[in-house]
Amino acid sequence: TLNPKPCSLGYEYEALEPHFDAETMKLHHLRHHAAYLTTLNNALSALRGAEETKHLAKMGVDKLLQNLDSVPEPYKTQVRNGGGGFVNHALFWSILAPNGTKLSADSGLEKQIEKEFGSFDTFVQTFKDQAVKVFGSGWAWLSVAKESGALVISKTANQDTPAMETALIPILGLDVWEHAYYLKYQNKRADYIDAFFNIVNWEEVSRRYEEALKKKDEL
Amino acid sequence: YNHALFFSILTTPPAEPTGPSGPLAQAIIASFGSFDKMKTAFDKAAATRFGSGWAWLGADVDGKLHISSTPNQDNPLMDGIAGVAMIPFLGLDVWEHAYYLNYQNRRAEYIAAFWNVVNWPKVSEYYEEYAAKGKPVVMDLATEAPTQSKAQLKRGGSASLGWIGQI
């Protein structure tokens, strides 16, 4: 089969305690993330099954998310929601780690953060403000602008992603759908956002930053 | 407004199952064919609302009943909301906060459970006194933040879940 497969987290469900609880991690991975993948794969299978849409199924989900207008309904909505959900959560798990990892002081990312925000703390505060302001379901993001290498903090609704724009490459995302925090934090989203910053895998975010810079000359 | 309406159309499950009253029951049959068909359409709207939002049963300007869903805290009374312009008189919150503690991701179970706690006499009153007359249902919106439910105030007890005090 040519469809994307479920991925493992890379750490145990309990490994992000006490910041992210094990039960939420299990539900989040095995129910929510898995359901997005099923929706995406059903759409891809359907697209593959018709002559006029076969080429869309070969594009790969990342490219497809940048070309949603070429996808006929109902598959367009399924790809946007399921495909977006699938890639967003895959990125999310990859930028988390038990107790987090450090952002090296001489990394390109640390230097760029200092350059654009003045300090790492100011960056964190700006990101937290964005994440708390997402109304309804959605995500907060740190992305790299391909052309300039600049860092962009943004938010999206539902399972939309900055990756839908060819100009942006997300390197860190925070899920603020209520399913991401309700069991442990209930409505206290700010506490959940604070907890997130204890478990960010900055080494991975930094690696994604360097990868994004290499894509500058890609179309 | 949405939550005020929502809480007012819920009640402890009655000993005998109830249903919509005469005029509302007739309107449901006229618009959907049967109560079950209305329920199926409503359940679908509630299940397929992606992300946060609400499902609604309402009456249009000609008195015909419709079902729709809206994102976030939108409401069919708002101007320019896509879909049918109608006066909602029954709503179901499908934000995850409405069901996550008890149902987690199983929204369909929550939707099924909702029908056990609908206050049909209230919904029927809303239809007859407001929606069928082309008037939005008037909610008595308190200016103070909600603290305890009226039932809890009557019992004189404090909220049973410790964390409520942190809201």
Side-chain angles (χ1 to χ4, degrees):
Chain A
T1 164
L2 305 157
N3 286 346
K5 290 194 164 44
C7 57
S8 67
L9 294 183
Y11 39 80
E12 298 299 313
Y13 293 115
E14 311 77 59
L16 304 180
E17 293 267 7
H19 311 291
F20 284 10
D21 59 299
E23 195 185 342
T24 294
M25 288 304 294
K26 272 187 217 160
L27 288 164
H28 208 168
H29 187 227
L30 298 173
R31 303 279 172 258
H32 295 278
H33 189 188
Y36 292 127
L37 179 57
T38 300
T39 300
L40 169 66
N41 282 341
N42 288 341
L44 289 177
S45 295
L47 291 172
R48 195 174 296 123
E51 266 315 305
E52 60 277 13
T53 55
K54 258 172 36 175
H55 66 288
L56 295 170
K58 287 194 186 148
M59 245 186 222
V61 61
D62 295 306
K63 264 258 163 321
L64 212 41
L65 286 170
Q66 293 174 344
N67 291 284
L68 283 175
D69 287 339
S70 315
V71 187
E73 289 291 13
Y75 311 115
K76 178 181 179 179
T77 298
Q78 290 166 9
V79 172
R80 179 181 188 171
N81 293 346
F86 173 66
V87 306
N88 293 344
H89 287 84
L91 187 150
F92 191 39
W93 310 139
S94 81
I95 57 94
L96 301 172
N99 301 309
T101 59
K102 293 261 168 299
L103 180 58
S104 163
D106 54 10
S107 64
L109 178 57
E110 166 67 27
K111 291 183 182 143
Q112 188 67 20
I113 284 175
E114 301 256 338
K115 180 177 167 198
E116 294 199 38
F117 296 95
S119 71
F120 185 78
D121 286 345
T122 304
F123 154 74
V124 169
Q125 199 48 57
T126 309
F127 187 92
K128 286 184 180 181
D129 288 347
Q130 185 78 161
V132 88
K133 284 191 174 106
V134 176
F135 189 68
S137 305
W139 290 73
W141 302 98
L142 175 64
S143 305
V144 177
K146 222 157 76 168
E147 270 301 302
S148 62
L151 296 173
V152 178
I153 292 177
S154 67
K155 56 177 166 37
T156 55
N158 290 350
Q159 294 299 344
D160 287 354
T161 158
M164 286 158 77
E165 303 293 324
T166 51
L168 289 175
I169 297 170
I171 60 172
L172 177 152
L174 173 58
D175 190 346
V176 291
W177 280 62
E178 288 170 329
H179 65 238
Y181 59 92
Y182 217 81
L183 293 183
K184 185 178 171 74
Y185 295 97
Q186 293 85 57
N187 61 306
K188 303 187 297 289
R189 192 196 281 183
D191 289 356
Y192 160 72
I193 297 166
D194 286 343
F196 166 71
F197 277 98
N198 290 304
I199 49 174
V200 175
N201 185 347
W202 283 108
E203 285 172 14
E204 172 64 11
V205 180
S206 185
R207 187 195 70 78
R208 284 177 178 268
Y209 173 73
E210 298 301 333
E211 283 302 308
L213 292 180
K214 288 180 196 160
K215 295 198 167 129
K216 182 174 180 169
D217 298 317
E218 259 179 33
L219 287 163
Chain B
Y1 180 90
N2 294 345
H3 285 85
L5 181 71
F6 186 44
F7 296 140
S8 77
I9 57 108
L10 302 175
T11 186
T12 47
E16 295 291 328
T18 61
S21 71
L24 176 55
Q26 281 163 29
I28 286 172
I29 289 169
S31 300
F32 298 99
S34 69
F35 179 83
D36 279 344
K37 284 183 183 158
M38 181 281 287
K39 191 174 162 301
T40 300
F42 187 93
D43 289 352
K44 183 176 178 190
T48 56
R49 168 47 58 180
F50 189 68
S52 306
W54 290 74
W56 305 100
L57 174 64
D60 69 19
V61 65
D62 298 320
K64 185 159 197 271
L65 301 188
H66 300 276
I67 283 163
S68 71
S69 76
T70 52
N72 289 354
Q73 295 298 347
D74 287 355
N75 176 301
L77 292 172
M78 296 172 174
D79 280 341
I81 295 296
V84 185
M86 64 182 195
I87 292 173
F89 55 88
L90 178 149
L92 175 60
D93 190 347
V94 292
W95 282 61
E96 286 172 329
H97 64 237
Y99 58 91
Y100 213 80
L101 294 182
N102 207 22
Y103 297 98
Q104 292 83 59
N105 61 305
R106 303 184 310 278
R107 193 196 283 187
E109 285 180 34
Y110 161 71
I111 296 167
F114 164 69
W115 297 106
N116 292 306
V117 293
V118 172
N119 185 342
W120 282 112
K122 196 67 173 175
V123 176
S124 300
E125 178 197 314
Y126 284 164
Y127 171 73
E128 288 177 45
E129 296 306 311
Y130 294 98
K133 294 180 179 173
K135 299 186 292 187
V137 178
V138 174
M139 297 312 307
D140 181 16
L141 299 174
T143 51
E144 293 161 20
T147 51
Q148 294 176 322
S149 70
K150 285 187 186 143
Q152 284 172 324
L153 287 167
K154 267 196 213 158
R155 287 203 301 273
S158 56
S160 54
L161 289 169
W163 52 263
I164 284 181
Q166 293 175 44
I167 294 172

